[in-house]
Amino acid sequence: MSVDDTALRIGDSATVTLTFSEPVNGLTSADLTVANGSVSEPSSSDGGTTWNATLTPTANVEDNSNIITLANTGVSDLAGNTGSGTTDSNNYAIDTV
């Protein structure tokens, strides 16, 4: 999982890309824990292997250490096997003060 803009300021947003080794179902924003921000509902245009969402930072925050955590148990492959564990994004900084 990657965040394409790692220095977010007032009015900025970033694209969050989640890439799986095979197509998955069931990914929603509820599966993502976002530090100092929120994400849109993820969508996929390639059948569920790559998903994108938009990260919007929280206002009035200054924090250099933030990640997004995916709870893999929220997704399953096409055979119905549920994921396990968690996956973290790269770090991003927020300065919306």
Side-chain angles (χ1 to χ4, degrees):
M1 174 177 18
S2 65
V3 177
D4 75 341
D5 184 348
T6 58
L8 297 166
R9 306 214 181 282
I10 295 171
D12 285 352
S13 63
T15 299
V16 180
T17 302
L18 300 96
T19 305
F20 296 90
S21 60
E22 62 183 310
V24 298
N25 293 312
L27 180 64
T28 70
S29 61
D31 300 316
L32 300 165
T33 302
V34 183
N36 294 313
S38 61
V39 292
S40 64
E41 283 300 318
S43 63
S44 176
S45 61
D46 68 356
T49 301
T50 305
W51 295 75
N52 292 304
T54 301
L55 167 64
T56 303
T58 302
N60 299 314
V61 171
E62 187 174 356
D63 191 337
N64 289 324
S65 183
N66 302 278
I67 60 170
I68 299 172
T69 301
L70 167 64
N72 292 313
T73 55
V75 299
S76 59
D77 65 14
L78 299 182
N81 301 308
T82 303
S84 63
T86 60
T87 303
D88 292 334
S89 72
N90 54 310
N91 186 68
Y92 56 94
I94 296 175
D95 184 358
T96 57
V97 175

